[in-house]
Amino acid sequence: MLGQMMDKPLLISNLITYAAKFHGDRDIISVETDASITKTNWANINERAKKLASALGKLGLKAGDRCATIAWNNHRHLEVYFGTAGGEYVCHTINPRLSAEQLGYVINHANDQILFIDKTFLPIAVGLKDHMPNVKQVILMGAKDEEALAALPNIMFYEDLIASGDADYQWPDFDENTASSLCYTSGTTGHPKGVLYSHRSTLLHSYCVVMPDSLSLSALDNIIPVVPMFHVNAWGLPYAAAMTGAQLTLPGPGLDGASLLKMINEYQVTIAAGVPTLWQGLLAALRETGAKIPSLDRTIIGGTACPISLIKAFKDDYDVDILHAWGMTETSPVGLVNKPLIKHLNQSKDEQEAMAVKQGRPPFGIDIRICGDDGSKLAHDGAVQGELQVNGYWVVKDYFNIEADTTLAGDGWFATGDVATIDGDGFVNITDRAKDVIKSGGEWISSIDLENLAIGHDEILDAAVIGAKHIKWDERPVLLVVLAEGSSLSEAEILADYVGQVPKFWIPDRVLFVEALPHGGTGKLLKNKLRDDYGDCLL
Ligand code: ADP
């Protein structure tokens, strides 16, 4: 039919081209592995990303080849994001906290051809060198370095590679459904599974990320993605920043509270993003120094549930809004964002706090439902719990290169493995991971709610609730806590705090005091390990 629109593919190279053309002089601040600071901008990132893409071609890479990164959040990592995807290669970001066995597994499973590493992770590359037969070239993300050469004689240096690139390189055009990046899930049980994003899904996800009712980004923002670029593409922020021309302040290895505080104030950061433990660190640094963070407008928190104590501390003491969001590697990751509806604006403070701990509602592009064990669709009444399932433009269809896939529900929805309620407005409350639910006498008890209340206590640094086997009730909750130094908080005092805040039968049967709790590569509690160690403590 006549009179239609241009058929222009949704390509990641268009994001960086736009940022360079219309926001070229906007700063990109980057902390290097040696803590020095590099100041660059979107125009330079584009230039160097193009040179990188052309240099990778000269190394013999073919369209679709995977390039792995083990790197911090810094400007070279950003260039690799755009240079690989823009050049029609795939950027495979790897979490350095994976075990040696898992690192070897994902590199070989992805069939990575190139491995980019920051100097910090040189020992990982040395340890893996005989276990990654398909990697043609390891590239150190920096200038020539004698120590690296001594450790890995065949290593190449990123700055040499850029110097060999073609300044006149043009980004190629191709189908928007082409793969652009690859992330593996943390794999707490079994092997990690790969999620392969496309140019199309990444651009649509970026549009979602910048929307006002989502993470709400604009050209006026300066974003510090503290969430690592190896963790679901730093929640898509590098792409979304390019889409808006926002500034990026990339913190490198400086993820402690004091370093973040310095970066936020020195560069006038407006938005931060990361998992709750990072913000506990920033709060501690703020309280210790008495400093304020006047430029910071909001902090995006996800990855695990966000305790109300954290939300209140940031709002009441520092006037920073916490934006609670939910997502998974399989959802790119943004799936739910806690943004109010008009009816919520006149709520009482208590009602607003009850809302704030929810994971939020779906932005356009994501659909949600909850289902029972038998697959039946359950009511969205805010009370009935079921498995959260999602469907959308940036939700995984099949895992990368795995034949038998058991995760998609029969009718094409993705089963998240999270247990949740959904209210009439679509607000979701995640109560547990399905594998962590506590069923006591046939009733569900939310370990997340119990943990959040415990962590709200000033003298409790970390908390986990597991279902321990019980002769009469099948399972009963047991709380494990890490106390702050010098605290003499007793079991009775901790349990007394629950009275009136949760149904009586939720109150844990026991409190165990431990030195530390085990967290996996992306900061999540390893409850299977806790159940192995403490699951019989009530028998
Ligand atoms: P990521 O790598 O982004 O952490 P994973 O795929 O490893 O993603 O884990 C996703 C899981 O993290 C979700 O299924 C959910 O259990 C948990 N999660 C993410 N965000 C939240 C949140 N805001 N509240 C509670 N749980 C969350």
Side-chain angles (χ1 to χ4, degrees), residues 186 231-232 302-305 324-330 359 416 418 433 522 524:
S186 342
H231 190 186
V232 216
T304 57
H324 193 186
W326 169 97
M328 310 179 72
T329 305
E330 290 88 339
Q359 281 70 16
T416 64
D418 282 347
R433 288 293 288 164
T522 54
K524 292 184 177 50

Side-chain angles (χ1 to χ4, degrees), residues 120-264:
T120 319
F121 305 115
L122 187 60
I124 293 184
V126 172
L128 284 171
K129 76 177 186 321
D130 298 326
H131 307 282
M132 41 184 200
N134 301 330
V135 171
K136 295 197 179 84
Q137 189 61 60
V138 177
I139 298 169
L140 187 85
M141 294 166 78
K144 187 172 177 199
D145 182 293
E146 294 299 338
E147 198 188 326
L149 262 182
L152 280 180
N154 295 326
I155 201 162
M156 277 181 75
F157 299 100
Y158 187 90
E159 292 305 327
D160 294 343
L161 197 67
I162 297 285
S164 75
D166 180 356
D168 299 325
Y169 176 85
Q170 299 295 317
W171 292 120
D173 252 342
F174 45 84
D175 186 324
E176 65 186 23
N177 288 302
T178 304
S180 58
S181 69
L182 175 63
C183 293
Y184 281 75
T185 60
S186 342
T188 40
T189 51
H191 282 310
K193 286 185 278 190
V195 178
L196 189 63
Y197 311 100
S198 69
H199 285 258
R200 176 187 153 85
S201 75
T202 303
L203 259 82
L204 293 175
H205 180 258
S206 303
Y207 275 117
C208 158
V209 166
V210 305
M211 288 199 304
D213 269 357
S214 178
L215 307 187
S216 183
L217 307 183
S218 91
L220 300 180
D221 280 312
N222 175 359
I223 309 162
I224 187 164
V226 187
V227 50
M229 289 170 75
F230 55 74
H231 190 186
V232 216
N233 295 323
W235 300 347
L237 292 168
Y239 305 115
M243 180 173 266
T244 52
Q247 173 168 335
L248 279 174
T249 298
L250 301 169
L255 304 181
D256 58 291
S259 305
L260 294 176
L261 174 56
K262 185 162 172 284
M263 292 299 282
I264 290 170

Side-chain angles (χ1 to χ4, degrees), residues 48-361:
R48 284 164 56 91
K50 285 208 269 188
K51 286 186 179 169
L52 177 67
S54 85
L56 289 174
K58 290 180 197 174
L59 285 181
L61 247 61
K62 294 183 298 299
D65 278 350
R66 267 77 70 197
C67 300
T69 63
I70 306 183
W72 299 112
N73 292 10
N74 57 42
H75 74 97
R76 292 192 186 87
H77 206 174
L78 189 64
E79 290 156 15
V80 174
Y81 263 47
F82 288 104
T84 51
E88 210 181 340
Y89 311 116
V90 176
C91 184
H92 170 204
T93 50
I94 299 180
N95 185 340
R97 297 177 199 128
L98 293 181
S99 67
E101 193 214 330
Q102 287 180 326
L103 285 166
Y105 173 83
V106 297
I107 288 174
N108 290 315
H109 185 265
N111 195 13
D112 291 324
Q113 303 290 302
I114 300 281
L115 173 59
F116 290 97
I117 51 157
D118 265 336
K119 175 105 187 251
T120 319
F121 305 115
L122 187 60
I124 293 184
V126 172
L128 284 171
K129 76 177 186 321
D130 298 326
H131 307 282
M132 41 184 200
N134 301 330
V135 171
K136 295 197 179 84
Q137 189 61 60
V138 177
I139 298 169
L140 187 85
M141 294 166 78
K144 187 172 177 199
D145 182 293
E146 294 299 338
E147 198 188 326
L149 262 182
L152 280 180
N154 295 326
I155 201 162
M156 277 181 75
F157 299 100
Y158 187 90
E159 292 305 327
D160 294 343
L161 197 67
I162 297 285
S164 75
D166 180 356
D168 299 325
Y169 176 85
Q170 299 295 317
W171 292 120
D173 252 342
F174 45 84
D175 186 324
E176 65 186 23
N177 288 302
T178 304
S180 58
S181 69
L182 175 63
C183 293
Y184 281 75
T185 60
S186 342
T188 40
T189 51
H191 282 310
K193 286 185 278 190
V195 178
L196 189 63
Y197 311 100
S198 69
H199 285 258
R200 176 187 153 85
S201 75
T202 303
L203 259 82
L204 293 175
H205 180 258
S206 303
Y207 275 117
C208 158
V209 166
V210 305
M211 288 199 304
D213 269 357
S214 178
L215 307 187
S216 183
L217 307 183
S218 91
L220 300 180
D221 280 312
N222 175 359
I223 309 162
I224 187 164
V226 187
V227 50
M229 289 170 75
F230 55 74
H231 190 186
V232 216
N233 295 323
W235 300 347
L237 292 168
Y239 305 115
M243 180 173 266
T244 52
Q247 173 168 335
L248 279 174
T249 298
L250 301 169
L255 304 181
D256 58 291
S259 305
L260 294 176
L261 174 56
K262 185 162 172 284
M263 292 299 282
I264 290 170
N265 279 339
E266 200 154 321
Y267 296 101
Q268 297 290 294
V269 168
T270 61
I271 303 180
V275 294
T277 42
L278 292 163
W279 308 121
Q280 306 278 16
L282 178 62
L283 261 190
L286 283 163
R287 285 173 177 159
E288 218 165 87
T289 56
K292 296 279 174 198
I293 32 175
S295 65
L296 195 69
D297 178 60
R298 56 203 187 278
T299 292
I300 303 153
I301 295 201
T304 57
C306 180
I308 188 68
S309 53
L310 196 62
I311 299 178
K312 284 210 297 219
F314 271 101
K315 186 68 198 162
D316 297 347
D317 301 344
Y318 300 98
D319 197 24
V320 174
D321 284 323
I322 284 199
L323 187 54
H324 193 186
W326 169 97
M328 310 179 72
T329 305
E330 290 88 339
T331 62
S332 294
V334 176
L336 302 166
V337 186
N338 195 327
K339 278 291 179 95
L341 299 173
I342 196 106
K343 64 172 84 161
H344 299 131
L345 297 182
N346 295 322
Q347 281 181 329
S348 69
K349 205 157 185 244
D350 283 354
E351 286 170 323
Q352 284 185 354
E353 282 174 7
M355 280 299 289
V357 290
K358 294 193 176 189
Q359 281 70 16
R361 59 191 172 90

Side-chain angles (χ1 to χ4, degrees), residues 493-531:
E493 285 169 312
I494 293 174
L495 294 180
D497 270 358
Y498 282 119
V499 176
Q501 303 224 56
V502 295
K504 209 162 153 211
F505 77 96
W506 283 30
I507 298 178
D509 277 23
R510 265 184 82 176
V511 179
L512 301 174
F513 297 91
V514 293
E515 293 282 311
L517 289 169
H519 288 269
T522 54
K524 292 184 177 50
L525 282 165
L526 297 177
K527 293 209 182 167
N528 45 354
K529 167 127 193 22
L530 290 174
R531 278 192 296 269

